[in-house]
Amino acid sequence: MGSRSYYIKIYSHQTERLVAICDEDIMELSLESRGVKIKPTKKFYGEQLVTEAEVLTALKECTSANVIGRRIIDLLIKHNIIHKEAILWIDHPDKSEKRIGHAILIK
């Protein structure tokens, strides 16, 4: 997949580097699961669209990451960056869609 399909924003402070990544298709989508409400916004996840390769490069250089979306979670599992049990699964508002994953990674 070479298309730009992830929003990314990098936060740096001294030696810390947080990378926030969101699947393009769920940006600004209101999500709720078990009383927890999440709405991915461009204010937090950024306005820059990047490719899988750019996501993987950014993750190599981070000290922590906040990721949300089915595709980003699948990518991180595929590359052994996160474990399946570390994911909070959220129901998609359109029940015909797959659940959406959210994870926080600390290195």
Side-chain angles (χ1 to χ4, degrees), residues 30-82:
S30 294
L31 308 169
E32 184 174 354
S33 183
R34 296 183 221 134
V36 176
K37 294 180 183 182
I38 298 176
K39 182 176 182 180
T41 64
K42 289 182 179 177
K43 181 177 179 180
F44 182 76
Y45 289 98
E47 297 185 17
Q48 179 184 2
L49 282 170
V50 297
T51 64
E52 280 186 8
E54 291 167 311
V55 162
L56 294 172
T57 297
L59 287 168
K60 287 179 186 173
E61 300 168 354
C62 76
T63 55
S64 61
N66 181 313
V67 299
I68 189 165
R70 184 72 197 194
R71 286 190 330 276
I72 188 61
I73 292 294
D74 288 345
L75 179 68
L76 299 187
I77 290 170
K78 175 182 169 185
H79 288 274
N80 296 313
I81 296 171
I82 60 171

Side-chain angles (χ1 to χ4, degrees), residues 16-33:
E16 300 299 315
R17 184 176 170 104
L18 166 69
V19 177
I21 304 167
C22 176
D23 285 3
E24 180 180 15
D25 61 327
I26 64 161
M27 182 60 76
E28 304 294 339
L29 187 64
S30 294
L31 308 169
E32 184 174 354
S33 183

Side-chain angles (χ1 to χ4, degrees), residues 29-32 90-97 100:
L29 187 64
S30 294
L31 308 169
E32 184 174 354
I90 304 164
D91 292 331
H92 194 289
D94 177 353
K95 300 298 182 193
S96 66
E97 295 289 328
I100 297 165

